[in-house]
Amino acid sequence: MLDTIFFILRKKNNQITFLHVYHHTSILVLWWIGIKWVPGGSSFYSSMVNSFVHVVMYTYYGLSVFPSIRSYLWWKRYLTQLQLIQFVSYLMQAILGLRENCGFPRWMGYGMLLYMVSMLTLFGNFYYKTYRDAKSKQEGKHNSRNDTVVNGVTQNGSQKKLN
């Protein structure tokens, strides 16, 4: 939760998005509910996976502090993919728990199911906007150059037929 404070101190307010605020406020409530009413067992899995993901994530952010290392940190997009995989695994856990009636409270299973759908939607949207949409915009820049000629076929950004 301290990353929000670090964003504010570093004046990186653009990083305090709806996704960030929603995730951090909702996760506080959900972990309190989980610890209060369903500790151990099925709850252990999500805390173990989440801890692993955060170790990887904060290793990345810790290394990114050093300017000389930043050019070697090519794997940021894979952190988001890892988070998406994490949420899919939680979604599967909730579905299996509801289907198999394993003793995990059904109300918590449904809550987890709904929360994971929201997290997959928000993080998926973030991933698309950050990596997919940015990639297509970047490709559009390269394709829209007016002075590009490739093997005499493209001129002024339009396709020309050779006779």
Side-chain angles (χ1 to χ4, degrees), residues 60 62-75:
Y60 174 87
L63 291 172
S64 72
V65 169
F66 303 104
S68 60
I69 296 177
R70 285 185 194 142
S71 62
Y72 299 103
L73 297 176
W74 48 265
W75 40 282

Side-chain angles (χ1 to χ4, degrees), residues 6 12 32 58 61 63 70 78 96 107 116 118 124 133-134 150 152:
F6 294 139
K12 297 280 189 175
W32 180 79
Y58 287 112
Y61 288 130
L63 291 172
R70 285 185 194 142
Y78 300 108
L96 288 172
W107 64 269
M116 287 308 115
S118 75
D133 203 27
V150 180

Side-chain angles (χ1 to χ4, degrees), residues 78-89:
Y78 300 108
L79 285 175
T80 308
Q81 289 177 0
L82 183 63
Q83 288 173 307
L84 288 166
I85 291 167
Q86 171 189 8
F87 299 139
V88 167
S89 76

